[in-house]
Amino acid sequence: MNLIICIHNHQPVGNMDYILEDAYKAAYLPFFEVLKEYKDIKINLHFSGYLFTWLLEKKPDYVALLKLLKEQGRIEVVSGGMYEPVLSLIPEDDGCNQIRMHADLMEEIFGERPKGAWLAERVYEPHIPQTLSKAGITYTLVDDNHFKAIGMTEDDLFGYYMSEFEGHKLAIFPGLEFLRYTIPFKPLDVLDTYLKDADGKGHKLAVFGDDGEKFGLWPGTKKSVYEEGWLKMFFEYLTGNQKWLRTVTFSEYLATPPKGPIYLDCQSYKEMGEWSLPPIFAKEYSAAISDKKPSKKTIIKGGYFKYFLIKYPESNDMHKKMLSLTKIANENPEAKKHVYMAQCNDSYWHGVFGGLYLPHLRASVYEHLIEAEKILDPKEPFVTGIIDDVNMDGIDEAVLTNNFLKAYFYLKEGGTLYELDYKPASSNIMANLYRRYEGYHDKVKMTSSTDVADGTKTIHDMFMAKEEGLERFLYYDWYRRASLVDHVMGKDVTWESFYRCQYFEPGDFVKEPYEASCKNENKSTILSLVREGHYWKGGIGIPLVIKKTIRMTANESAVYIDYQIDGDVKENFLFGVEFNFSFLGSGGDRYMDLGSGRIPLTSKGIYKPSRMLQFYDPYQKVAPTIECDHPISVWTFPVEVVSLSETGFERNYQSTMCMPVWDIDLTNGSRAIHLKLTVNGINRNNDLQ
């Protein structure tokens, strides 16, 4: 019997250097330090391009070891998209070019062009054979879940199959879930029983393909895999059983005929099927796939990967910005490379691994997209505004841009400012994420920060907490955390209820559409947003109109906002203009000044009125400032979410909410409010520019 071992090592574009260093020391280096001693064992190896480029620069001796193992015939190098894109999320030409970039690099370093490709997150769609074939790829690996979803059984999966799309052929190997959950977590006798049973049935091939990080970086595995010797015992087991079990490469086994033809539908691994579903259905799916009765697990299909773009509008914003840029960057290699780097998959989804909840990974996507835009922008001063369906949901948005800023407005919900790119720092300072219910939140109360991983469970089976009392932060927003969010509130609303997002708002402006018009003038562009809404009292809607006019001028990093509030409301009410700024963290030298001195970005409460609200982030090199007309107070709090990662449940800072509030009295006529939002840069000495 043959065993294929495929190790996939990946770090997303934008991950911090120390994270890569930790992963290298915990998993990437020790794995091969052990493997090199077992000369009869062959593996297949994939490194994503961002990680491998880092290794080339930082760890030349390690790369030399990999080259030596390749020369000895003990490694087959597997290719993939250079910056680990999910191929179904990007244009086919981009996917082919990314694979060619990666294959070129592998051929340059290892002297042989890869024949196979690792699919990011094993996300497969029916057109994938065409994409890979055009890029010169002959085989790939997916999960057994892909095959079981179309009615195949476990016994059908010990081999490989041939598929095609419009005549483009591809060999597809099914990786076995049992091996994913056994290696390196279960005792070797469990693995031995499974493989001998397969051999006894006459099966010729078993395939294991999974993340290299599970060998030392996943919780508890450093101790179990290396200190307690699981990996060494595994290699000794393989070495001692070569009479009936031998490790082979993909290319070696392709000399054996396939089991037959196959056509797969849109699938990934089973856990991704859970994460990509709406939360309620995700819980049902999780219960179904966890059922111990085999009869309950026949042809269970989870969600569709692209549903992440619906589930998380913040993901869709990045995705559609990327799609709009990749078309116009085709003739500029420098800009195109930035687009490729922004296609790294991690920031576009969320599960145990997905990085959407990690601000620094979202920031990386925006950084590269803004860098591409800067390269493609006119070099002379300019300003322009458009109204168009930029996020492709069938309803228009508005976009204002000049040399310094690019501002996106969500017209169908509140006319809010949901993206503000400060081009000199290549930073979207409003890459916010709102607090939402996730299916795993029900498990938060059952976890403890004292729980310890022992390396016997996969991260899919563990639930740990990084701190006690995380349930205290489980509040959910009923609107997107953007800026220029217009709150019409009763005088009885409290800061606490507003923070919890558990209050009644008599105005109908936050989630309702605004009418928009845009006028481009010689040196400025003006966006007019109007909503003829209501102030609801006793079931009666009292007419209330809010008009906000946004002006951007050429060659200035500022946006001017003028409000006009008018209507038949006879009682005073509170009007708040909410801003959310997404800094990459809340600590270090970051601060805000709401008029009474520097305070942390995580400060909570109601502060005295101030006409100048300042924020300072020397790490992103941005310092936004809000100037406003005489508010009665300023409300603030950090927007924090409880999310799940490889190391358990954790609290993540997403943005700082800041809202100047006015007491509005319309009995003597309309009320005007003027604001100015300026984004200043910070130089290398951390001084304002």
Side-chain angles (χ1 to χ4, degrees), residues 370-371 374 403-405 421-427 557 681 689:
I370 296 168
E371 282 289 335
K374 286 159 56 177
N403 302 81
F404 291 93
L405 299 175
D421 301 336
Y422 179 59
K423 296 179 182 181
S426 299
S427 175
S557 60
Q689 292 178 320

Side-chain angles (χ1 to χ4, degrees), residues 115-360:
K115 301 180 181 68
W118 179 272
L119 286 180
E121 303 307 323
R122 276 99 78 197
V123 176
Y124 184 92
E125 294 201 8
H127 71 275
I128 291 297
Q130 175 174 277
T131 304
L132 297 187
S133 178
K134 285 183 176 180
I137 296 299
T138 60
Y139 71 83
T140 192
L141 165 73
V142 297
D143 271 39
D144 56 5
N145 181 60
H146 298 66
F147 291 80
K148 291 178 179 178
I150 61 169
M152 303 190 79
T153 67
E154 181 88 4
D155 284 333
D156 296 323
L157 305 181
F158 292 86
Y160 74 96
Y161 291 81
M162 293 301 301
S163 192
E164 62 82 29
F165 185 81
E166 296 185 357
H168 296 272
K169 292 197 304 180
L170 182 71
I172 304 178
F173 289 84
L176 298 171
E177 179 190 307
F178 181 89
L179 297 183
R180 275 205 301 125
Y181 274 71
T182 301
I183 300 172
F185 306 105
K186 304 297 182 184
L188 288 175
D189 58 349
V190 175
L191 177 64
D192 180 64
T193 299
Y194 179 82
L195 293 176
K196 284 181 176 175
D197 180 65
D199 184 51
K201 293 179 178 179
H203 296 315
K204 301 300 182 184
L205 174 69
V207 179
F208 164 77
D210 210 351
D211 301 342
E213 292 80 17
K214 71 195 302 182
F215 296 92
L217 190 61
W218 286 15
T221 58
K222 181 179 180 181
K223 179 180 179 181
S224 62
V225 171
Y226 300 113
E227 295 175 14
E228 296 176 355
W230 192 99
L231 186 61
K232 183 176 290 188
M233 290 186 289
F234 175 53
F235 289 155
E236 289 174 355
Y237 165 79
L238 294 176
T239 301
N241 286 276
Q242 292 182 80
K243 289 183 178 180
W244 68 275
L245 179 66
R246 70 186 188 112
T247 55
V248 296
T249 66
F250 285 113
S251 293
E252 286 176 335
Y253 195 80
L254 282 172
T256 303
K259 293 177 72 68
I262 197 70
Y263 290 93
L264 303 175
D265 64 3
C266 302
Q267 286 293 331
S268 178
Y269 48 86
K270 72 173 187 180
E271 296 87 358
M272 186 68 79
E274 173 188 346
W275 303 331
S276 57
L277 285 168
I280 299 300
F281 295 114
K283 290 197 296 183
E284 292 183 14
Y285 175 81
S286 178
I289 63 176
S290 300
D291 198 297
K292 301 301 182 182
K293 298 178 181 178
S295 61
K296 297 288 186 70
K297 299 169 69 172
T298 303
I299 314 184
I300 296 176
K301 297 180 68 173
Y304 176 43
F305 186 84
K306 284 186 177 178
Y307 187 76
F308 283 117
L309 303 177
I310 309 301
K311 187 176 182 179
Y312 302 107
E314 301 93 338
S315 173
N316 189 59
D317 294 339
M318 294 187 293
H319 182 254
K320 299 309 180 288
K321 186 180 181 78
M322 177 273 293
L323 287 183
S324 69
L325 275 168
T326 195
K327 296 177 182 178
I328 60 176
N330 281 333
E331 303 304 317
N332 189 304
E334 184 183 1
K336 192 70 175 184
K337 181 179 179 181
H338 282 294
V339 174
Y340 287 150
M341 296 182 80
Q343 291 173 342
C344 181
N345 77 86
D346 303 67
S347 299
Y348 293 93
W349 62 279
H350 173 62
V352 171
F353 306 101
L356 178 68
Y357 271 67
L358 300 178
H360 73 282

Side-chain angles (χ1 to χ4, degrees), residues 429-477:
I429 64 172
M430 294 179 182
N432 306 312
L433 193 75
Y434 72 85
R435 302 174 297 183
R436 50 173 47 90
Y437 171 72
E438 298 283 3
Y440 54 72
H441 283 167
D442 296 338
K443 300 174 182 176
V444 170
K445 294 181 181 180
M446 300 184 294
T447 62
S448 170
S449 62
T450 60
D451 293 340
V452 177
D454 60 7
T456 63
K457 294 181 179 179
T458 77
I459 55 177
H460 307 295
D461 299 320
M462 292 185 297
F463 295 99
M464 301 179 294
K466 287 189 174 182
E467 63 178 288
E468 296 290 348
L470 284 176
E471 65 274 8
R472 295 180 292 113
F473 300 96
L474 292 178
Y475 302 118
Y476 305 118
D477 298 322

Side-chain angles (χ1 to χ4, degrees), residues 602-613:
T602 52
S603 300
K604 298 179 179 180
I606 298 178
Y607 287 77
K608 295 179 180 179
S610 174
R611 297 186 63 182
M612 181 80 73
L613 314 175

Side-chain angles (χ1 to χ4, degrees), residues 13-31:
V13 175
N15 230 2
M16 275 84 81
D17 194 79
Y18 78 88
I19 296 178
L20 274 69
E21 184 70 39
D22 288 348
Y24 171 77
K25 291 178 179 178
Y28 307 144
L29 176 61
F31 182 92

